[in-house]
Amino acid sequence: MDSSLPLVLDRDGSGPLHLQLAEQFRAAIRDGRLQAGHRLPSTRDLARDLSVSRSVAQAAYDQLHAEGWIQGRTGSGTYVADVVPLQPAERRRVPQPPAPQEKLLSLRAGIPFIGGSADAGWRRAWREVSAQLPPPGYEEPAGMPALREAMAAHVRRVRGIACGPENVLITNGTIHGLRLLLSVRHRPGERIAIEDPGYLNAVVAARDHQLEVVDIGVDEDGLLVSELGDDLAAAYVTPSHQYPLGGRLPVARRNELIRWARRTGATLIEDDYDSEFRYDVAPLPALAQLDLDRVVHLGTLSKILSPALRLGWLVASTEVVDALAAYRAQSGDWPAWPMQAAFLAMLRDGYLDQVIRRTRRLYADRRNLTCAVLAPHGRVIGQDAGLHITLLLPDSIDDREVAARARRAGVVVAPLSEYRRSIPGPPGLVIGYARPTDEDLQTALSLLATVLA
């Protein structure tokens, strides 16, 4: 470390160490003690000389790099950027990023709000379960018959799918249903289309089953059906609220998708993501309503109650359901009886509808707040439904760097590039507003707006 530049860190309450260190470098650059082109010590040497962890030195350099004070040269090191120092009379305070929060506030998408205490409907369902005895054996690999019947009635009513209990299979969630389907109905080497950007867990599931994933582009209305080839065995789509851009597939494009599947014999795997939460528009019919012979419909409690419940449903033709049930009779991987029984009680009691109505109002207010705070910093899309919005940023911005800066400020948010695979597109942030408390959401949005500013 240059002996002409003494660096002193106060460990007794003057703020985070990496911010102290970054400010001392800024001051040295502003007043000319460090000139453009000056080579800085490595993070390893800097950490050793200051007796701090290397992560502290790296965080300070990351901050300075993001603000343009320093630059890296491949294979050479880190140098002071060509920054013209301000003269003393012209000096002004350089805005600093907010100090990190004591706890990280999460704006990750896809996680619902869980209140601080169990409400009456939740307790009532579990009291009903506790008064029953479990079934004696392993006779229900497709799920409890009464739950399948209630679930068929539910999806007929809320999603318009003409089905009976014979068309319903109870799962551990969307990805569990997808993996079951791929295991039973698709062979290694077959090709499956998946939206890009899209749900990465679906990509992982397909590759785990040795399917070839074909990336298909999306626009702000959803999947580009015209890009689907005739040699695909299946297509995985999120037509109700495309993940993560938030578009909803228009009726004309839905019809085009069904015609493609009928012509090619491909299976359409409909992830009915976020269909329960629409704010300014009416819900469109499920794809499965149009052709249950070609569509396998996947739903989940994860966005309504909690991902921790590990419960969902699959709606398909009786041929598909019977094949999956036969497979599960051998594998034994179906949801536990207590959770199925509790879910049945929630459906019969009207508790599930009550939760959806209550949280829809809550999420609409949070959606409005999120859009209002962040709209000045980019273009908001996908705000008509769901538990998240996407903020598109100027092409010159590195969204991963923005997400890293937000995390250092105390906010966890996903960069849009995290969801992309091979098809390029604008940078952005995928911002979930459902999970935090009202107070935490306001704090997190304020911190994020400061980072974006």
Side-chain angles (χ1 to χ4, degrees):
M1 186 168 58
D2 190 340
S3 61
S4 66
L5 184 64
L7 299 171
V8 179
L9 299 180
D10 180 3
R11 291 170 167 80
D12 297 323
S14 295
L17 296 181
H18 74 281
L19 295 183
Q20 293 184 44
L21 184 55
E23 175 52 31
Q24 291 185 57
F25 275 111
R26 288 191 205 94
I29 297 171
R30 283 196 297 261
D31 62 24
R33 285 180 290 150
L34 288 179
Q35 302 288 328
H38 185 105
R39 189 174 188 276
L40 299 179
S42 68
T43 55
R44 188 187 305 278
D45 291 342
L46 186 59
R48 184 192 63 239
D49 292 344
L50 293 174
S51 298
V52 297
S53 69
R54 192 175 179 186
S55 63
V56 170
Q58 186 64 58
Y61 276 16
D62 287 347
Q63 186 65 47
L64 293 168
H65 182 271
E67 296 172 7
W69 294 96
I70 64 176
Q71 59 187 12
R73 299 178 188 173
T74 303
S76 176
T78 303
Y79 296 81
V80 176
D82 188 13
V83 180
V84 178
L86 296 176
Q87 297 302 314
E90 299 174 331
R91 287 180 185 166
R92 60 185 177 85
R93 183 179 180 273
V94 178
Q96 300 302 311
Q101 298 292 294
E102 292 182 0
K103 64 175 181 177
L104 284 174
L105 303 175
S106 177
L107 295 181
R108 280 280 184 176
I111 304 177
F113 177 71
I114 306 297
S117 61
D119 59 17
W122 176 266
R123 294 194 302 271
R124 192 163 52 244
W126 286 102
R127 281 198 303 270
E128 183 172 326
V129 173
S130 68
Q132 304 174 50
L133 290 175
Y138 301 95
E139 295 87 4
E140 300 170 354
M144 290 175 57
L147 177 56
R148 295 173 68 195
E149 185 172 350
M151 199 66 237
H154 178 77
V155 296
R156 283 198 305 268
R157 176 170 58 87
V158 303
R159 301 302 290 128
I161 304 173
C163 67
E166 67 278 5
N167 300 114
V168 176
L169 182 116
I170 306 303
T171 70
N172 288 326
T174 296
I175 290 299
H176 178 240
L178 173 63
R179 286 180 174 272
L180 279 174
L181 183 68
L182 297 182
S183 297
V184 175
R185 302 286 291 182
H186 294 280
R187 298 185 303 274
E190 289 185 344
R191 308 178 83 222
I192 180 172
I194 300 181
E195 299 160 333
D196 184 7
Y199 189 28
L200 297 183
N201 285 348
V203 175
V204 172
R207 290 175 176 163
D208 283 349
H209 287 82
Q210 301 177 51
L211 273 65
E212 180 185 348
V213 174
V214 179
D215 299 336
I216 302 295
V218 299
D219 60 16
E220 291 180 26
D221 284 332
L223 180 78
L224 296 172
V225 180
S226 60
E227 294 187 0
L228 293 170
D230 290 351
D231 59 345
L232 296 166
Y236 180 92
V237 295
T238 53
S240 294
H241 188 227
Q242 198 279 326
Y243 188 72
L245 297 185
R248 62 178 198 149
L249 206 62
V251 170
R253 210 179 288 186
R254 289 168 183 250
N255 292 340
E256 182 185 0
L257 184 58
I258 292 291
R259 285 193 294 268
W260 169 83
R262 289 173 175 171
R263 177 171 56 82
T264 63
T267 299
L268 294 176
I269 305 171
E270 177 185 26
D271 181 348
D272 204 34
Y273 179 77
D274 278 349
S275 66
E276 297 86 3
F277 302 108
R278 311 212 67 82
Y279 307 121
D280 302 324
V281 292
L284 286 169
L287 276 181
Q289 180 186 11
L290 302 177
D291 192 336
L292 199 56
D293 289 330
R294 294 260 57 91
V295 181
V296 174
H297 177 93
L298 301 174
T300 179
L301 278 183
S302 294
K303 311 302 180 288
I304 304 173
L305 294 176
S306 169
L309 300 179
R310 312 311 305 150
L311 199 72
W313 52 91
L314 178 152
V315 183
S317 67
T318 55
E319 177 189 3
V320 170
V321 170
D322 289 346
L324 298 186
Y327 175 82
R328 288 214 307 200
Q330 303 300 318
S331 65
D333 66 333
W334 58 85
W337 170 81
M339 190 60 243
Q340 292 193 59
F343 184 32
L344 175 59
M346 294 174 196
L347 282 170
R348 286 176 170 172
D349 192 33
Y351 177 65
L352 194 70
D353 290 337
Q354 176 189 336
V355 170
I356 292 172
R357 287 194 300 269
R358 182 178 68 229
T359 53
R360 186 183 288 137
R361 293 190 294 269
L362 171 70
Y363 297 153
D365 291 341
R366 292 181 171 195
R367 183 276 311 261
N368 294 340
L369 173 65
T370 303
C371 292
V373 172
L374 298 181
H377 305 289
R379 186 162 72 89
V380 174
I381 62 173
Q383 67 269 39
D384 291 338
L387 308 183
H388 76 271
I389 59 99
T390 298
L391 183 72
L392 297 182
L393 301 172
D395 290 340
S396 59
I397 290 180
D398 182 343
D399 57 12
R400 291 181 184 267
E401 175 58 31
V402 173
R405 290 177 60 199
R407 187 179 186 91
R408 292 194 291 270
V411 181
V412 178
V413 65
L416 179 56
S417 57
E418 185 177 284
Y419 297 85
R420 298 192 186 279
R421 301 187 300 279
S422 66
I423 300 176
L429 299 175
V430 180
I431 300 160
Y433 47 75
R435 179 180 183 177
T437 64
D438 288 341
E439 181 181 1
D440 282 350
L441 177 62
Q442 292 180 7
T443 301
L445 291 174
S446 177
L447 291 169
L448 183 57
T450 302
V451 169
L452 290 166

